[in-house]
Amino acid sequence: MMKLSLSHAFFWRMISAPDGVAAGLAALPESDRLLPTGIDGWIRGDERVGAVERLDIYASMYFFRLLDCLAEDFPALHAVLGHDTFHHIARDYVATHPSRHPSLRTFGAALGDFLDRAPLREQRSYLGDLARFEWSLLEAFDAADRTPLPPERLRTLPAEEWPLVRLELSPSLRVIDAAAPVQEVWAAATDGQEIPSIAMRRTVLRIWRHDLRVFHRVIDDLEWAALQSIERGEGFAATCEAATRIVGEERAALEVARTLDRWLDDGLVVGFDTSATG
Amino acid sequence: MLEHWPALDWLEIISENFMVRGGRPLYVLDRIRERYPIVMHGVSLSIGTTDPLNFDYLRDLKALAERVRPAWVSDHLCWTGVGGKNAHDLLPLPYTEETIEHVVARVRLVQDFLERPIVLENVSSYLTYRDSTWSEWDCLGEIARRADCYILLDVNNVYVSAFNHRFDAMDYLRAIPVDRVVQFHLAGHTNNGTHLLDTHDHPVIDPVWRLYAAAVRRFGPLSTLIERDDHIPELPEVAAEAEHARRIQRQIDDEAFAEPRLFLADDQRA
């Protein structure tokens, strides 16, 4: 009798073999075959469905469930690549990045980085960025809830406290530093329009959730620098210095104020303290 | 759902879909819970895997149960992965003494951790192991008795597996201990000629309705859920199937078909 742990391990190897159970079985080294009686000594087949075919039912459900999950989570990538190429990529991704989480929700997390390294027939260098953008939309969708800060709370703050203000931003906020305006491809694809050809042009996008809806927006260098400053835990004074390096001293204060207003309107600021140092 | 508040007795959620940090899924769940009783049905407990229990998962499951206050928490008698990997599928177990001991010990640990009994569902399967020394029905009943857990009897799964493995579905029903079954599932499946696939994408077929009537006769008019995961029709079509289940229950027993029968202590009720 085969130990349960061995049976599971063997079952797993069979259903996750990329070319099906028969090929997976043939590819096993002799020492690894575990089964002196062959697969029929382990699984009961009959004249309707043989043992290998029965395992193949599970093998095919294994792959197609993960493929469907990726197609659902990356609709624009799926549209851009077309089903066959997407299928090939999913096959390689499933083989190299099997799901390690109880929820399918996290399965596609590494697809963007995987695409950066994947040799693609279809050479579109923004594919990794597009995947990361779509993944960020999902992450923002069910990130932790925080109530946006009422704008008056900051607008009524005494001027002398401003340099010490450290902002806390929504847990749903994600920023994608993309090599192309992937949001244009995404919008066309998810609208069922023809995929536009886009020029490679650095595009920084912020993605966030407000009132249960997920939004995205292209941001400029100043806003990106300000977000990075906040992420480093810096206070408002340091954020303004970062802005000064980009737009010069004359415009910095005004531009930062505008950016902050936009964040407040977008529900991006969820809290603050006045404990910044330096 | 949030606009029309359809007249439903209760709802079942897939637990993993709501094991997230926030956003619309939990918002909708909280609104729905205000108006309907809910039972939680999981797909990733993997009670039969030989990997250690995943306590991160169990912590999230417990937190969700504290939020939802479900009538009960169910999952499946199966395994879903090994070596830290997850197939997101309900994989069949060999029915052996080793499996029974292994699963019983794990069910006890899970119930202690969750501080509530769990309910295990029979799965549809497409293969059996030559090593099995128990029938599936005896194995499920034995695990429920030894681990002191409950059973969600999926009538369609009994039908599908009976076809695929050539056993008599009535033998299955007759062997399941009556006092352990708390809920029924019904669903449609796909007939591939040589085998049936549990696809949840068709209406319930007549032979499954007949088996359901037999189950109601044996186990009583228990809470019944019609599962539909794909080709989901408008609600009235599924509601008509639920009404059909009610009619069968009424024919067999006058007992009302309403809320899930709560077997938990009073202080765990919502």
Side-chain angles (χ1 to χ4, degrees):
Chain A
M1 186 174 284
M2 199 192 284
K3 289 275 294 171
L4 187 60
S5 52
L6 259 187
S7 178
H8 283 353
F10 198 68
F11 195 111
W12 184 271
R13 290 178 76 160
M14 291 299 100
I15 63 166
S16 60
D19 296 311
V21 173
L25 203 58
L28 283 181
E30 201 66 44
S31 59
D32 246 0
R33 293 219 172 138
L34 300 172
L35 294 165
T37 50
I39 213 136
D40 288 302
W42 175 46
I43 303 291
R44 198 179 294 277
D46 61 18
E47 76 289 352
R48 294 180 303 175
V49 195
V52 170
E53 282 173 274
R54 286 177 184 264
L55 266 173
D56 254 329
I57 295 172
Y58 286 99
S60 123
M61 288 194 299
Y62 169 69
F63 174 70
F64 282 101
R65 179 167 287 113
L66 295 173
L67 172 69
D68 288 350
C69 167
L70 292 178
E72 198 171 304
D73 287 353
F74 299 92
L77 187 67
H78 186 249
V80 168
L81 290 171
H83 190 71
D84 288 351
T85 307
F86 191 84
H87 183 116
H88 286 299
I89 286 170
R91 189 172 165 278
D92 293 345
Y93 184 72
V94 167
T96 53
H97 295 71
S99 171
R100 293 185 176 275
H101 194 274
S103 173
L104 273 172
R105 169 67 187 77
T106 64
F107 178 56
L111 187 63
D113 294 351
F114 174 80
L115 284 167
D116 287 344
R117 296 187 307 269
L120 292 174
R121 277 182 221 154
E122 190 126 9
Q123 287 303 327
R124 283 199 173 95
S125 46
Y126 62 72
L127 292 173
D129 288 328
L130 177 60
R132 279 183 289 272
F133 175 66
E134 294 199 275
W135 191 251
S136 297
L137 297 174
L138 282 176
E139 287 199 315
F141 173 74
D142 57 13
D145 296 315
R146 286 293 301 274
T147 308
L149 190 74
E152 327 63 88
R153 290 277 307 284
L154 271 179
R155 285 174 183 147
T156 54
L157 202 68
E160 64 275 16
E161 291 191 29
W162 267 101
L164 304 175
V165 164
R166 280 196 318 182
L167 297 176
E168 191 187 353
L169 301 177
S170 166
S172 70
L173 173 67
R174 300 287 182 280
V175 177
I176 300 289
D177 189 348
V182 289
Q183 79 285 1
E184 292 174 14
V185 174
W186 174 84
T190 52
D191 241 15
Q193 310 292 318
E194 201 171 315
I195 307 299
S197 65
I198 49 170
M200 298 304 285
R201 181 179 76 243
R202 184 175 176 226
T203 306
V204 183
L205 290 148
R206 79 163 140 90
I207 296 106
W208 77 104
R209 188 179 77 228
H210 188 201
D211 287 342
L212 301 178
R213 285 184 62 197
V214 176
F215 298 89
H216 64 269
R217 176 188 183 105
V218 177
I219 61 175
D220 57 22
D221 288 347
L222 179 138
E223 183 169 347
W224 184 204
L227 288 174
Q228 287 172 307
S229 158
I230 291 165
E231 194 178 320
R232 287 192 296 267
E234 294 173 357
F236 203 69
T239 304
C240 288
E241 274 169 36
T244 302
R245 284 194 289 277
I246 291 167
V247 293
E249 201 162 343
E250 214 167 290
R251 284 173 53 208
L254 183 63
E255 293 291 335
V256 169
R258 270 189 194 149
T259 301
L260 182 58
D261 267 345
R262 206 155 53 223
W263 290 348
L264 287 166
D265 286 345
D266 287 345
L268 211 57
V269 183
V270 296
F272 72 94
D273 61 45
T274 50
S275 62
T277 51
Chain B
M1 186 88 199
L2 297 189
E3 276 172 36
H4 303 296
W5 299 111
L8 301 170
D9 297 323
W10 55 281
L11 291 162
E12 182 175 281
I13 59 166
I14 298 295
S15 308
E16 288 78 7
N17 290 352
F18 299 92
M19 288 158 78
V20 294
R21 295 206 172 89
R24 183 171 286 280
L26 290 176
Y27 171 83
V28 171
L29 178 65
D30 288 347
R31 299 291 84 70
I32 285 176
R33 182 64 187 92
E34 289 164 6
R35 303 211 186 191
Y36 301 95
I38 286 181
V39 299
M40 279 169 50
H41 186 55
V43 292
S44 293
L45 177 61
S46 199
I47 200 71
T49 183
T50 47
D51 280 359
L53 280 171
N54 182 342
F55 280 94
D56 289 338
Y57 171 80
L58 289 173
R59 256 186 295 279
D60 288 349
L61 187 66
K62 188 174 185 178
L64 184 65
E66 278 160 8
R67 182 178 194 128
V68 169
R69 303 209 148 244
W72 54 74
V73 175
S74 62
D75 204 292
H76 302 81
L77 177 60
C78 70
W79 62 292
T80 65
V82 74
K85 297 169 197 159
N86 203 319
H88 303 281
D89 195 4
L90 310 171
L91 306 173
L93 287 162
Y95 300 119
T96 63
E97 191 58 38
E98 183 195 7
T99 296
I100 293 174
E101 280 173 18
H102 178 67
V103 171
V104 165
R106 285 164 64 94
V107 169
R108 288 204 182 119
L109 285 169
V110 168
Q111 294 187 144
D112 285 351
F113 183 82
L114 296 179
E115 299 177 280
R116 58 166 68 236
I118 60 166
V119 181
L120 290 180
E121 176 183 348
N122 58 302
V123 297
S124 280
S125 67
Y126 312 109
L127 61 78
T128 54
Y129 301 86
R130 290 204 182 270
D131 279 348
S132 287
T133 49
W134 289 65
S135 64
E136 182 186 322
W137 45 94
D138 285 337
C139 190
L140 177 58
E142 184 69 8
I143 287 169
R145 271 190 289 259
R146 280 204 222 167
D148 198 12
C149 69
Y150 292 85
I151 295 173
L152 192 178
L153 190 69
D154 188 313
V155 177
N156 179 61
N157 288 350
V158 172
Y159 182 85
V160 165
S161 293
F163 181 93
N164 291 343
H165 311 311
R166 293 183 157 141
F167 61 75
D168 182 344
M170 284 307 296
D171 285 346
Y172 201 119
L173 297 194
R174 279 193 286 265
I176 296 294
V178 171
D179 61 340
R180 291 285 156 189
V181 181
V182 296
Q183 185 189 343
F184 295 128
H185 270 176
L186 281 168
H189 58 257
T190 303
N191 189 333
N192 282 10
T194 53
H195 61 282
L196 307 184
L197 272 181
D198 178 36
T199 43
H200 296 182
D201 58 354
H202 288 83
V204 179
I205 63 168
D206 284 341
V208 173
W209 282 121
R210 286 197 288 277
L211 192 59
Y212 174 69
V216 173
R217 263 185 210 103
R218 175 168 168 79
F219 302 103
L222 304 176
S223 309
T224 302
L225 181 95
I226 316 283
E227 294 181 289
R228 200 68 181 257
D229 301 341
D230 214 347
H231 303 148
I232 297 172
E234 293 297 311
L235 188 60
E237 196 180 314
V238 183
E241 290 195 290
E243 187 49 41
H244 190 59
R246 273 193 202 90
R247 265 200 305 279
I248 289 172
Q249 294 207 346
R250 273 193 223 106
Q251 277 166 14
I252 291 165
D253 191 319
D254 282 333
E255 200 179 316
F257 176 83
E259 292 197 1
R261 290 202 320 196
L262 302 175
F263 61 83
L264 303 175
D266 274 352
D267 62 356
Q268 286 180 292
R269 292 188 193 193

